[in-house]
Amino acid sequence: MTQAATPHSSADGRWLDLRLAPELFAADVPVAEGQPACIVVQQGRIVWVGPQDQVPAVYAGLPAHEGGARLATPGLVDCHTHLVYGGERANEFAMRLAGASYEEVARAGGGIVSSVKATREASEEELIAQALPRLDQLLAEGVTAIEIKSGYGLSLEHERKQLRVARRLAELRGVTVRTTFLGAHALPPEYAGRSQDYIDLVCREIMPALAAEGLIDAVDVFCERIAFSLAETEQVFQAAQALGLPVKLHAEQLSNMEGAALAARYGALSCDHIEHLSENGIAAMRDAGTVAVLLPGAFYTLRDTKVPPIDGLRAAKVPMAVSTDHNPGTSPALSLLLMANMACTLFRLTVPEALAGITRHAARALGLQHEQGLIAAGRPANFVLWPVRHAAELAYWFGNKPDCTVVRQGRITRA
Ligand code: NIG
Ligand code: FE
């Protein structure tokens, strides 16, 4: 019997007549290129991957799902987003078109602080209502795990609200959400000229309280001339370390602050943006096993010209992830596949690098490398079936809305 894939039904059974995207699966029995493959799912977990004519007899009675010769990849992982915020900033888009730089917009009272105002004014319900359609666009394109940062609240009450919304989104959509506390994103207006006082507040009050409430999976800082210094960043990292929380960093986006080397010393999961990353930073990331998260959407929006040091990262074998950096200012992007395309076109990643960047390496940037980013037995069933002949098509088309089947946490969420 072949089971029709209907949304919200269980994905348990044998998924037949699939092709597997190179390098994104670990088979129980080797699969030759072009050989029809099968993924077996039981109780929401992948239990076997291999050639369809070698499925163990013990699974023969399970219902069959027709793969239709589609390409299977792991669920996509969007490892850097600021998805929860109030309002939007289309006016800044116009300002930048008229010649203002990101830094000038920020200094003129726009930028992150204007989203802080709108986020503080919004209720939890309003933030959920605004974030859900954005989340749904990402999920429709095969995202099965996503990171969501705070950083538009900048006070205990409003950072808590953002992180609670992120947790609620996970429940509402049955998607894996990793929350990142980014209290040190910008200086809130009430602390103007008192950066050290604000960092003390973040470290002594806000972060410990939200960690105790179970709202923080990792801690991030915006280390930049227009944001927080290296010393302030280190203070936040020390506070995170004392709470047992992993760190990551918005590093070397607009200038080289040597933030990446600092983050690597704290065993950072990832350093993100890194357009101005130095040789020293690359070596430190390599030694610490820190993932380089490339954010071509922000690079594109800001019309940046300084490309991250891809050759150096590649030579050092630093894993490179690619993410949307979805945020209302510098990257209002809602397609991870478009980011894969841009990572190839703007940063000269190869297609396999870009595809690993939105799956395997992105999972690692979130500490989820054992659950997400690879089709393999033992993992929760998170995979996508794409109506394409070649894996390269996933990075080749842009503006495409592929008609894919999405299995998320063992459920068929899009048929
Ligand atoms: O990742 N660089 C800092 N944070 C965001 C921008 C946030 C904003 O402009 O609202 C980023 O690009
Ligand atoms: Fe960001």
Side-chain angles (χ1 to χ4, degrees):
M1 154 195 80
T2 299
Q3 190 135 312
T6 49
H8 310 302
S9 57
S10 161
D12 281 10
R14 292 167 298 142
W15 288 79
L16 298 166
D17 195 16
L18 303 175
R19 285 169 309 107
L20 296 171
E23 297 170 39
L24 298 180
F25 66 93
D28 295 273
V29 176
V31 184
E33 216 187 305
Q35 189 180 19
C38 174
I39 300 173
V40 183
V41 178
Q42 267 189 319
Q43 292 177 346
R45 296 190 93 82
I46 297 173
V47 293
W48 190 86
V49 181
Q52 118 169 8
D53 57 8
Q54 292 181 50
V55 178
V58 58
Y59 302 127
L62 296 181
H65 301 274
E66 183 47 55
R70 284 177 295 172
L71 180 79
T73 69
L76 308 186
V77 178
D78 197 352
C79 66
H80 179 141
T81 87
H82 310 247
L83 197 78
V84 175
Y85 53 84
E88 39 67 39
R89 306 225 299 272
N91 61 326
E92 286 177 21
F93 182 62
M95 281 172 78
R96 282 199 310 274
L97 289 178
S101 71
Y102 183 49
E103 286 170 279
E104 283 161 358
V105 168
R107 291 187 204 284
I112 295 172
V113 168
S114 70
S115 292
V116 171
K117 186 168 183 291
T119 303
R120 286 178 171 182
E121 283 166 5
S123 68
E124 219 168 287
E125 294 311 316
E126 285 164 347
L127 290 177
I128 291 172
Q130 291 179 40
L132 263 183
R134 300 193 284 260
L135 178 62
D136 284 341
Q137 289 208 46
L138 293 166
L139 299 185
E141 204 186 52
V143 167
T144 57
I146 183 169
E147 187 243 26
I148 300 180
K149 300 178 194 290
S150 68
Y152 291 123
L154 309 185
S155 70
L156 176 57
E157 175 192 356
H158 298 293
E159 288 289 299
R160 176 190 284 128
K161 179 174 65 180
Q162 265 196 289
L163 293 170
R164 282 171 51 99
V165 168
R167 291 275 191 248
R168 284 283 292 137
L169 292 174
E171 288 165 15
L172 287 168
R173 288 298 183 263
V175 60
T176 299
V177 170
R178 301 304 272 181
T179 57
T180 297
F181 172 66
L182 180 56
H185 192 197
L187 199 57
E190 63 276 16
Y191 277 82
R194 294 190 294 136
S195 191
Q196 185 59 53
D197 289 350
Y198 179 63
I199 290 295
D200 288 346
L201 178 78
V202 163
C203 295
R204 293 178 192 157
E205 291 180 34
I206 304 180
M207 195 193 318
L210 298 180
E213 292 171 33
L215 288 170
I216 305 181
D217 296 326
V219 173
D220 192 355
V221 176
F222 185 18
C223 178
E224 193 52 71
R225 293 183 305 227
I226 57 167
F228 296 100
S229 69
L230 210 54
E232 290 165 333
T233 300
E234 179 152 24
Q235 191 182 334
V236 175
F237 284 176
Q238 281 174 353
Q241 199 172 51
L243 292 166
L245 296 169
V247 301
K248 41 181 56 222
L249 191 65
H250 279 73
E252 346 292 15
Q253 179 187 10
L254 308 170
S255 61
N256 176 28
M257 308 268 292
E258 289 294 333
L262 171 72
R265 280 213 303 285
Y266 283 82
L269 288 170
S270 69
C271 291
D272 306 35
H273 287 288
I274 55 170
E275 278 81 351
H276 295 261
L277 181 65
S278 68
E279 286 288 336
N280 178 47
I282 294 174
M285 289 172 67
R286 176 199 60 210
D287 294 347
T290 298
V291 177
V293 178
L294 307 174
L295 304 171
F299 176 92
Y300 165 82
T301 301
L302 298 175
R303 301 181 74 223
D304 206 342
T305 50
K306 180 88 175 73
V307 174
I310 303 300
D311 289 343
L313 290 164
R314 191 182 278 136
K317 295 195 169 47
V318 173
M320 291 183 278
V322 174
S323 168
T324 60
D325 187 18
H326 178 88
N327 76 72
T330 61
S331 193
L334 289 167
S335 165
L336 196 48
L337 292 183
L338 177 59
M339 298 304 112
N341 171 275
M342 287 185 175
C344 295
T345 305
L346 299 175
F347 296 165
R348 311 316 279 166
L349 257 60
T350 65
V351 168
E353 283 172 340
L355 296 182
I358 56 175
T359 54
R360 267 182 20 233
H361 298 325
R364 184 163 164 191
L366 298 181
L368 290 175
Q369 61 271 33
H370 302 300
E371 291 170 45
Q372 295 271 345
L374 191 73
I375 294 178
R379 291 166 177 245
N382 287 300
F383 56 84
V384 189
L385 307 186
W386 307 94
V388 301
R389 284 172 58 81
H390 305 287
E393 288 183 65
L394 298 177
Y396 157 79
W397 301 105
F398 60 94
N400 193 19
K401 295 269 174 283
D403 191 11
C404 52
T405 292
V406 181
V407 170
R408 193 164 71 236
Q409 296 293 107
R411 315 286 304 170
I412 302 167
T413 57
R414 190 175 192 274

